[in-house]
Amino acid sequence: MVEHARMHAKHRGHEAMHAEMVLILIATLVVPQLLLVQWKQRHPRSYNMVTLFQMWVVPVYFTVKLHWWRFLVIWILFSAVTAFVTFRATRKPLVQTTPRLVYKWFLLIYKISYATGIIGYMAVMFTLFGLNLLFKIKPEDAMDFGISLLFYGLYYGVLERDFAEMCADYMASTIGFYSESGMPTKHLSDSVCAVCGQQIFVDVSEEGIIENTYRLSCNHVFHEFCIRGWCIVGKKQTCPYCKEKVDLKRMFSNPWERPHVMYGQLLDWLRYLVAWQPVIIGLVQGINYILGLE
């Protein structure tokens, strides 16, 4: 009660200043939102690149500041392998095995982040329901464990999808069957997969990949692994050649696979919170500091 009275006494007469701070907060939250939406619509490529850089760098600042060394070690390992994969994806001419390497790596990270996020979420829910007491685990320890896994899963899931989308664009443009704007530079043969540029059907005497195929509603045929990587990992929902919209419900008819699609949509929404929310909060604090508001 004494502390409560002291707090009221300290802030008595500051109502106008508090109202001004609230108005600044609202204005700073609304205006950047509108600017970000316009930027994303008018210049999506630069917006995605800056967002990716923000996603990659901003958490590291807090990691070093708060001494989260375990996260930093994992971040360095992820960055090293991803840098190598990205380097391979942006080379010209493109090595035949590169598209499959890229999609395998990012699909692996996607699945690991998905499993990690689910386990973290379950740990948080078990703690809220008190089930941690059955294993004699302290609530704070169980909650820290769950939140940490949830953060790891969501962060690397978002980061992986952004890198994968960038690599998918580079590789598809290099192969020539896909153009982000305009017509492709090559004509697609029925026997070639537009995602990896390799033969779809291979004779026994020839070198190549023998695997299942998938035909889209536009009648273009791809390796099943390639088109799934293009849609889930590369965040593309159109045909790699003619850009007709892909029916994801038809592609992922198995109910066990549909959560992967929903998880990907969740990650796309969370990328804003990780990349831009700290910047906006810092902007609010900077304006308050310049105006002398506390």
Side-chain angles (χ1 to χ4, degrees):
M1 292 292 293
V2 176
E3 292 294 330
H4 190 69
R6 287 178 179 174
M7 184 186 70
H8 275 283
K10 180 180 179 181
H11 291 276
R12 187 177 294 118
H14 294 174
E15 290 79 7
M17 183 181 69
H18 294 163
E20 189 176 351
M21 291 177 67
V22 170
L23 291 176
I24 291 174
L25 175 62
I26 295 174
T28 311
L29 288 176
V30 172
V31 174
Q33 292 272 10
L34 297 176
L35 293 177
L36 287 173
V37 169
Q38 290 297 316
W39 183 13
K40 185 178 181 180
Q41 291 177 348
R42 296 173 183 271
H43 306 284
R45 190 176 184 85
S46 62
Y47 171 84
N48 290 331
M49 291 298 293
V50 174
T51 302
L52 176 58
F53 181 78
Q54 291 275 100
M55 282 284 305
W56 190 42
V57 172
V58 169
V60 178
Y61 167 77
F62 293 102
T63 298
V64 175
K65 185 177 181 179
L66 299 173
H67 306 293
W68 293 344
W69 306 123
R70 179 174 53 193
F71 176 87
L72 187 60
V73 170
I74 297 175
W75 181 88
I76 291 173
L77 293 174
F78 170 84
S79 298
V81 179
T82 301
F84 170 75
V85 172
T86 304
F87 175 80
R88 290 281 301 272
T90 54
R91 296 305 94 192
K92 293 182 180 181
L94 193 68
V95 179
Q96 292 183 355
T97 57
T98 297
R100 188 157 295 266
L101 168 69
V102 170
Y103 287 122
K104 277 186 176 181
W105 166 246
F106 288 119
L107 184 60
L108 172 64
I109 298 299
Y110 181 84
K111 289 181 176 180
I112 292 175
S113 70
Y114 180 77
T116 304
I118 291 296
I119 295 173
Y121 175 77
M122 292 176 62
V124 170
M125 296 306 297
F126 283 174
T127 305
L128 292 177
F129 285 108
L131 299 179
N132 59 292
L133 299 177
L134 298 176
F135 302 96
K136 298 181 179 180
I137 302 175
K138 295 180 180 180
E140 55 271 22
D141 293 340
M143 187 62 73
D144 288 345
F145 175 76
I147 292 177
S148 296
L149 287 184
L150 193 59
F151 172 75
Y152 276 101
L154 294 176
Y155 172 72
Y156 285 106
V158 174
L159 199 60
E160 160 269 325
R161 279 173 65 81
D162 282 359
F163 271 110
E165 182 183 25
M166 180 182 68
C167 291
D169 284 338
Y170 270 107
M171 291 189 302
S173 299
T174 301
I175 292 172
F177 297 117
Y178 171 82
S179 175
E180 192 171 355
S181 59
M183 294 296 293
T185 57
K186 289 184 180 179
H187 173 71
L188 180 64
S189 169
D190 293 337
S191 61
V192 175
C193 173
V195 177
C196 67
Q198 302 302 304
Q199 293 289 325
I200 293 178
F201 301 105
V202 182
D203 293 334
V204 178
S205 59
E206 296 179 345
E207 291 186 2
I209 302 167
I210 301 176
E211 62 173 283
N212 296 331
T213 59
Y214 187 86
R215 183 183 296 273
L216 298 179
S217 57
C218 57
N219 286 326
H220 290 126
V221 182
F222 307 91
H223 293 127
E224 186 174 10
F225 176 86
C226 292
I227 194 61
R228 284 171 177 261
W230 174 265
C231 292
I232 292 184
V233 181
K235 297 200 299 183
K236 307 296 184 183
Q237 296 186 15
T238 58
C239 171
Y241 183 68
C242 69
K243 298 181 183 177
E244 181 176 320
K245 189 171 180 60
V246 174
D247 187 356
L248 295 179
K249 291 183 178 180
R250 175 172 168 265
M251 176 179 291
F252 302 102
S253 57
N254 186 341
W256 293 104
E257 293 180 328
R258 289 183 182 176
H260 289 286
V261 179
M262 292 186 290
Y263 179 65
Q265 294 170 346
L266 171 65
L267 294 179
D268 290 339
W269 178 75
L270 286 173
R271 70 200 294 263
Y272 164 79
L273 296 180
V274 178
W276 293 107
Q277 199 64 22
V279 177
I280 294 176
I281 293 175
L283 182 61
V284 172
Q285 293 178 342
I287 294 175
N288 288 335
Y289 177 79
I290 292 173
L291 297 178
L293 303 176
E294 297 181 359

